[in-house]
Amino acid sequence: MADYPLEALDLAVGYDGPLIRHVSFRVGAGEIVALIGPNGSGKSTILKTLSGQLKSWGGQIRVCGRELGSFPPKELSQKLALLLTEPIRPERMTCREVVETGRYPYTGYFGRLSAKDSRVVEESMALVEMEAFAGASFTEISDGQRQRVMLARAVCQEPEVLLLDEPTAFLDIYHKATFFQLLRQLTEERKMGVVISMHEPELAARVAGYAVCIRERAVFRMGKAEEVLRPEGVRELFGVPEALYERYYG
């Protein structure tokens, strides 16, 4: 396992051209890095570039010490998993069947699961405490339970890098707390490098060890999460007047 499962080196990202430049950070094994900033600041664009969904406009992305572009798609899927904001809503699929799709980088031509694949599926569901819902319809469980199933699907890929785009956007406080508790546990146990986009600095300061702050499509500040996400830094990042911030968050 590489010391740094994921590295972004002077990265420039965007759709039709570079919108954010000079993005540089490393993610260690067992470490969580938060991309934090207002909605529309470019956090999702960075994540999609790190995953290879969008091409970079400069710099380098290294996964386990190798250039991102050097990986064939199937091999990259064994190293990197992406969990997007909105969970998929497949029709007529059980929770177990959804998790099983996470084994696609390893299954044969017909997608048949081996004994090992089945064991990994069962272990992944147990890790997120969803084994009792294996036979339940994915569309009929709660949003919090769906996010746990999707996390199990990502873990099922056995990645060294996990990218999450606002994974708790539609969850209530309880399900957010339990999701992040589970994520930290999995990160430490599996020694994954995790990058998560968020717009809640209070949560990011507790979940992540390192934070990359994005504002107005530019890197605003980077450093240890507990340092760069202090109240004065948060006010400046989100453009909140001091009196207003103190009234509602002080």
Side-chain angles (χ1 to χ4, degrees), residues 103-149:
R103 292 303 294 171
Y104 71 92
Y106 304 94
T107 55
Y109 184 79
F110 295 104
R112 294 174 179 170
L113 271 65
S114 66
K116 177 185 177 180
D117 294 323
S118 295
R119 184 176 68 254
V120 173
V121 169
E122 292 166 3
E123 290 174 351
S124 299
M125 295 198 74
L127 281 170
V128 303
E129 299 179 352
M130 286 297 291
E131 63 267 44
F133 294 84
S137 170
F138 182 77
T139 58
E140 294 178 2
I141 58 177
S142 71
D143 287 341
Q145 290 167 337
R146 274 195 287 268
Q147 281 298 75
R148 282 177 173 254
V149 171

Side-chain angles (χ1 to χ4, degrees), residues 17 19 25 46 61-62 66 75 97 100 107-108 114 117 131 136 139 161 163 169 188 199 206 225 227 229 247 250:
L19 295 178
F25 61 89
I46 294 174
I61 302 168
R62 293 178 184 168
R66 285 175 52 185
E75 186 180 356
E97 287 170 339
E100 286 177 352
T107 55
S114 66
D117 294 323
E131 63 267 44
T139 58
V161 178
L163 307 178
E188 292 172 1
H199 62 269
R206 289 169 171 79
E227 295 178 359
L229 297 177
R247 180 175 182 180

